[in-house]
């Protein structure tokens, strides 16, 4: 069962989680997603956040230009949601949102110095099917999930009623 709800790049509840993520550039800034196409997901209790970015390949400065990027994932739900399960669901929601994945699939970068399990940086991604494919120039661990290894598309739940009214939608 899908646990993710659609959100957006300026959702205040999602921004709170983004502000606690180690890669956040400007804490407190209204928007917390890089420029370009994006999918922002939030769990019911707003205890987990996922952001898929799809930057234009020509503006990317790493070896995986054109791939979908998990630019933020934070799970503060404790034992309620396993991170690896949330990742699988987020990839399924990304496929439903964007359609067919790019040839390079999805990548994410993990800073080993900022993670709790330094022995296996990105362990939850590895359990979700990602593979270690190298390092960025800055020393971040690069993890990739190819299209053949992705789960089937499954749409995220609609925005919360409060979000719809906050962002100009109908709160039925």
């Amino acid at each position: 069962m899908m646990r993710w709800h659609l959100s957006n790049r300026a959702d205040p509840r999602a921004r709170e989680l983004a502000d606690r993520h180690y890669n956040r550039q400007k804490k407190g800034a209204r928007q917390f997603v890089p420029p370009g196409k994006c999918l922002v997901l939030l769990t019911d209790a707003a205890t987990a956040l996922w952001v898929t970015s799809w930057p234009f390949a020509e503006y990317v400065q790493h070896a995986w230009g054109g791939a979908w990027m998990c630019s933020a994932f934070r799970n503060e739900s404790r034992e309620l949601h396993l991170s690896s399960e949330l990742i699988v669901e987020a990839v399924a929601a990304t496929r439903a949102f964007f359609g067919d994945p790019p040839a390079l699939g999805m990548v994410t970068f993990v800073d080993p110095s900022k993670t709790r399990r330094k022995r296996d940086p990105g362990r939850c991604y590895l359990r979700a099917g990602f593979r270690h494919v190298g390092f960025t120039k800055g020393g971040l661990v690069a993890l990739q999930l190819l299209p053949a290894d992705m789960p089937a598309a499954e749409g995220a739940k609609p925005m919360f009623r409060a979000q719809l009214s906050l962002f100009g939608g109908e709160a039925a």
Side-chain angles (χ1 to χ4, degrees):
M1 185 171 107
M2 178 60 67
R3 289 174 270 195
W4 292 110
H5 283 270
L6 294 172
S7 187
N8 67 60
R9 66 175 72 229
D11 182 336
R13 294 185 340 145
R15 184 181 63 233
E16 288 179 24
L17 287 167
D19 280 349
R20 292 191 291 274
H21 193 275
Y22 68 79
N23 73 351
R24 180 75 154 115
Q25 299 291 315
K26 296 180 181 177
K27 292 184 185 339
R30 185 173 177 268
Q31 295 192 22
F32 54 89
V33 177
K37 299 175 188 174
C38 70
L39 169 66
V40 178
L41 302 170
L42 197 61
T43 55
D44 286 333
T47 56
L49 166 73
W50 175 276
V51 177
T52 300
S53 301
W54 196 1
F56 297 112
E58 59 268 26
Y59 299 113
V60 173
Q61 298 179 5
H62 55 71
W64 299 272
W68 290 334
M69 295 287 308
C70 170
S71 56
F73 172 57
R74 185 157 182 92
N75 180 8
E76 295 182 357
S77 69
R78 306 283 185 241
E79 293 83 32
L80 184 61
H81 304 297
L82 286 177
S83 292
S84 57
E85 292 174 359
L86 287 174
I87 291 168
V88 170
E89 290 178 24
V91 173
T94 300
R95 289 190 77 171
F97 188 80
F98 285 128
D100 291 335
L104 291 175
M106 181 177 283
V107 295
T108 194
F109 304 125
V110 177
D111 185 341
S113 71
K114 305 281 185 178
T115 59
R116 284 184 281 171
R117 289 189 170 83
K118 293 178 175 50
R119 184 188 62 147
D120 292 330
R123 174 183 285 192
C124 57
Y125 288 96
L126 297 169
R127 288 188 174 179
F130 282 70
R131 291 192 176 101
H132 183 273
V133 291
F135 297 90
T136 65
K137 291 177 185 173
L140 302 178
V141 174
L143 303 171
Q144 181 179 36
L145 184 66
L146 292 172
D149 300 322
M150 290 182 175
E154 181 182 351
K157 297 176 186 177
M159 282 189 173
F160 301 103
R161 293 171 63 107
Q163 289 174 297
L164 287 171
S165 60
L166 183 66
F167 298 111
E170 294 294 321

